[in-house]
Amino acid sequence: MDCMFPKMPLGLTPMNFISAVKRMKETENLKAEMIYVDILNEMERIGKDAPNVVHALNHRV
């Protein structure tokens, strides 16, 4: 069985990843789906950085 799943990006949960892969296979607009996955990854990165920013600002005030 030759399964062509891409590597799961860090920002996606397994269920979101599976849904995204299914939509990529079924959709005609692959570029839009890839942009959606990139946006999710960036939002997760921002969410992980936010506590550090708040912590740093609390030490300056």
Side-chain angles (χ1 to χ4, degrees), residues 45-58:
R45 186 186 57 81
I46 291 167
K48 287 182 177 180
D49 289 344
N52 295 332
V53 171
V54 171
H55 182 72
L57 290 174
N58 282 336

Side-chain angles (χ1 to χ4, degrees), residues 10 14 20 45 59:
L10 294 176
R45 186 186 57 81
H59 287 292

